[in-house]
């Protein structure tokens, strides 16, 4: 009994998962713009911050009358034209294969792995073991120490052996990936709709000004992150970890904002309302919730020239920190303070 060779066109259509990578150091607003490009191609987009994303195009192939590879070329051209970001893509039948492929693009920035056992083995098996998606540095070192230097070598050893080396679940999953299999589905997700900063104290803190300085430090970091993401927060939560390990948390609704002064004032109002009296505090956590896209927030015109100037200065501070490093320019209250 003979087995017919797989149809290359059908094998190409079954390679319907795209894994995209943006260059290291890409600004978050540019990454968000790339996600928008992807969402206009397919509704099944999974963001993997800070610099990757998955797209399943199986459901839109008939709509576009294109192969997954052709859609990958469209994504790359649109990302470069609309956002200025030169992305790399892997096109394959599953998540792990596509992610491994996107790390090794061809000259056109894309690598296709057909849904064909021979094609999968010829791509995966010669690669070094640390090229397999999901293998960490320690796992790779352990495998190399036992003579498993390539993905093909991991694929060829018994599953029980892989589990003994790497642990039960991890060993089985990584060996399946080495054999070109990955059952995980692309799950549509967007960028996080909350962001958190924690500040720990070296000693249980009684000094009110130092606690407020820690809150300010966290708020400045969060507000800069929101502006970079082009988001605004409609809720702010302050959580205090006390010396006895208990937690005290309060939240406050607010008009969506990403301005440091607004978030600072709300955070101070929260802690003032707690009515603490010489409470010993071990750590403070500031969490911005209910994040919305900044372009959906109506910016109110202020007649206060000082407030307007502060917001203009904020933009300049963001540019300086992007150029010279986070924290290069910060409020005088935080001068010399070590960020936790």
């Amino acid at each position: 009994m003979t087995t017919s060779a797989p149809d290359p066109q059908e094998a190409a259509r079954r390679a319907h998962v795209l894994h995209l990578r943006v260059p290291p150091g890409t600004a978050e607003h540019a990454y968000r713009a790339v996600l928008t490009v992807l969402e206009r191609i397919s509704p099944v987009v999974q963001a993997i911050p800070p610099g990757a994303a998955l797209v399943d195009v199986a459901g839109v192939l008939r709509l576009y009358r294109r192969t997954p590879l052709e859609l990958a070329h469209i994504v790359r051209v649109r990302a470069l034209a609309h956002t200025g970001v030169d992305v790399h893509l892997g096109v394959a039948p599953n998540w792990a294969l596509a992610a491994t492929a996107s790390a090794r693009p061809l000259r056109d920035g894309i690598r296709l792995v057909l849904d064909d056992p021979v094609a999968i083995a010829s791509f995966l098996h010669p690669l070094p073991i640390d090229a397999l998606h999901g293998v960490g540095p320690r796992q790779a070192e352990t495998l190399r120490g036992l003579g498993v230097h390539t993905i093909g070598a991991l694929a060829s050893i018994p599953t029980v052996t892989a589990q003994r080396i790497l642990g039960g679940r991890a060993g089985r999953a990584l060996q399946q990936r080495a054999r070109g299999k990955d059952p995980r589905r692309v799950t549509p997700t967007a960028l996080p709709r909350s962001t958190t900063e924690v500040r720990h104290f070296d000693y249980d803190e009684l000094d009110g000004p130092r606690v407020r300085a820690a809150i300010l430090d966290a708020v400045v970091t969060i507000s800069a992150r929101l502006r970079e993401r082009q988001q605004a927060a409609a809720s702010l939560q302050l959580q205090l970890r006390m010396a006895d390990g208990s937690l005290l948390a309060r939240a406050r609704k607010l008009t969506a904002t990403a301005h440091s002064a607004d978030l600072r004032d709300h955070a101070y109002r929260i802690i003032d309302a707690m009515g603490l009296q010489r409470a010993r505090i071990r750590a403070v956590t500031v969490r911005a919730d209910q994040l919305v896209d900044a372009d959906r927030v109506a910016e109110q015109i202020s007649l206060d020239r000082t407030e307007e100037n502060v917001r203009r200065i904020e933009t300049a501070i963001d540019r300086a920190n992007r150029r010279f490093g986070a924290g290069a320019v910060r409020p005088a209250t935080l001068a010399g303070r070590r960020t936790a």
Side-chain angles (χ1 to χ4, degrees):
M1 181 177 179
T2 60
T3 303
S4 60
D7 178 2
Q9 291 184 345
E10 182 59 29
R13 283 192 291 269
R14 292 198 301 268
H16 54 81
V17 176
L18 278 55
H19 185 276
L20 176 145
R21 297 176 189 265
V22 302
T26 299
E28 189 157 357
H29 69 85
Y31 172 63
R32 287 173 58 83
V34 170
L35 292 180
T36 299
V37 171
L38 298 179
E39 289 164 355
R40 290 172 179 168
I41 295 289
S42 170
V44 187
V45 176
Q46 182 172 340
I48 310 176
L54 285 165
V55 192
D56 192 330
V57 297
V60 297
L61 295 180
R62 289 187 179 181
L63 173 65
Y64 289 105
R65 297 182 182 179
R66 295 284 193 276
T67 66
L69 178 60
E70 290 170 336
L71 289 177
H73 281 288
I74 291 172
V75 166
R76 190 162 189 268
V77 169
R78 289 185 180 178
L80 190 58
H82 297 166
T83 72
V85 179
D86 188 8
V87 302
H88 290 164
L89 293 107
V91 185
N94 60 58
W95 178 337
L97 262 177
T100 304
S102 68
R104 285 165 170 72
L106 299 177
R107 293 183 63 183
D108 62 358
I110 300 171
R111 182 180 286 274
L112 168 67
V113 181
L114 298 175
D115 187 15
D116 167 54
V118 174
I120 292 172
S122 64
F123 167 65
L124 274 182
H125 289 183
L127 295 177
I129 191 62
D130 54 5
L132 181 63
H133 178 67
V135 170
R138 290 187 179 180
Q139 292 171 320
E141 184 179 354
T142 299
L143 289 166
R144 284 193 294 264
L146 295 171
V148 181
H149 294 278
T150 65
I151 295 177
L154 177 58
S156 65
I157 65 176
T159 301
V160 173
T161 303
Q163 291 177 311
R164 286 177 179 171
I165 297 171
L166 300 169
R169 181 177 297 180
R172 183 177 183 83
L174 290 174
Q175 190 187 55
Q176 288 296 302
R177 294 179 194 178
R179 294 173 177 175
K181 300 175 182 178
D182 186 357
R184 293 175 297 171
R185 294 179 177 271
V186 179
T187 305
T189 58
L191 283 176
R193 290 296 163 180
S194 67
T195 183
T196 302
E197 282 292 315
V198 182
R199 297 294 181 266
H200 298 275
F201 298 112
D202 294 331
Y203 305 96
D204 295 339
E205 189 57 68
L206 287 170
D207 186 356
R210 290 183 181 177
V211 172
R212 293 170 87 88
I215 293 171
L216 175 61
D217 191 25
V219 163
V220 167
T221 301
I222 284 174
S223 59
R225 183 180 302 146
L226 293 178
R227 293 191 296 273
E228 179 70 16
R229 292 180 178 179
Q230 297 185 5
Q231 291 181 304
S235 177
L236 193 70
Q237 182 187 87
L238 178 64
Q239 183 182 90
L240 306 179
R241 180 171 291 279
M242 315 309 286
D244 62 1
S246 62
L247 295 175
L248 180 62
R250 297 288 186 274
R252 185 184 182 96
K253 298 284 187 181
L254 52 140
T255 302
T257 182
H259 296 299
S260 300
D262 294 341
L263 296 177
R264 176 203 63 201
D265 291 346
H266 283 290
Y268 286 171
R269 287 171 191 151
I270 292 173
I271 195 168
D272 289 344
M274 288 179 175
L276 302 175
Q277 295 182 356
R278 297 189 60 78
R280 293 188 299 153
I281 300 172
R282 187 164 295 171
V284 300
T285 300
V286 179
R287 178 186 176 94
D289 283 311
Q290 299 181 26
L291 304 187
V292 298
D293 293 336
D295 57 9
R296 297 182 182 179
V297 178
E299 188 76 26
Q300 292 186 349
I301 298 175
S302 173
L303 300 178
D304 186 336
R305 177 164 293 183
T306 301
E307 182 179 345
E308 289 299 314
N309 288 339
V310 167
R311 294 186 178 185
R312 291 193 183 98
I313 292 171
E314 203 171 56
T315 302
I317 291 173
D318 289 343
R319 286 200 300 266
N321 285 334
R322 281 196 294 269
R323 181 174 181 180
F324 299 109
V329 182
R330 57 206 311 228
T333 305
L334 303 178
R337 186 182 190 278
R338 176 178 58 85
T339 298

